Amino acid sequence: SKPIPVTVKDGRDGEDGVTLRIDSSRGTVFKNNQVSTVLNVIIFKGGKTITDAAAMRQAFGTAAHLEWQWQRIGENAFGTILATDARLSNDGFSMLLSPDDVDVKVVFRCQLVTA
């Protein structure tokens, strides 16, 4: 007997796919403590582009928020950057980095938290 192919679709392809992208105003590699940059978050949900907290909460619920984390050289884990940090603006959709924030190597990441 032949296997019966099963196809399950709840909507159009990619309709509920979500991608969070971080763009930098000055590139992605900074050397010798000489570059300031702004990291901006863009969320793509299906065909929508989300660039502010109001649209994010409309798409993902009132509890939705962004959580920034960083890992400095020599650290084994990521630390959370508080939402009240002065470097964050636009409800976490923007982060201003100065040369003081990057000594040798730092990895930044941002997560969309929906619950």
Side-chain angles (χ1 to χ4, degrees), residues 4-59:
I4 300 170
V6 177
T7 303
V8 177
K9 286 194 173 191
D10 294 336
R12 294 180 297 137
D13 291 340
E15 186 175 289
D16 45 353
V18 177
T19 301
L20 185 146
R21 185 175 83 198
I22 301 172
D23 287 339
S24 170
S25 64
R26 302 284 303 265
T28 58
V29 177
F30 314 112
K31 295 182 180 181
N32 303 325
N33 300 0
Q34 295 182 7
V35 176
S36 293
T37 191
V38 177
L39 302 178
N40 290 298
V41 170
I42 303 169
I43 301 170
F44 300 95
K45 181 178 189 246
K48 293 182 182 179
T49 301
I50 299 168
T51 58
D52 62 57
M56 175 183 63
R57 291 184 184 116
Q58 183 179 13

Side-chain angles (χ1 to χ4, degrees), residues 70-77 101-107:
W70 65 339
Q71 184 179 28
R72 291 173 276 203
I73 195 164
E75 293 180 353
N76 294 327
D101 294 317
V102 181
D103 184 19
V104 177
K105 178 182 178 183
V106 179
V107 176

Side-chain angles (χ1 to χ4, degrees), residues 72-104:
R72 291 173 276 203
I73 195 164
E75 293 180 353
N76 294 327
F78 279 84
T80 299
I81 298 171
L82 298 176
T84 56
D85 192 296
R87 295 172 292 187
L88 296 176
S89 61
N90 190 21
D91 290 308
F93 275 81
S94 296
M95 174 183 262
L96 174 63
L97 297 179
S98 72
D100 294 335
D101 294 317
V102 181
D103 184 19
V104 177

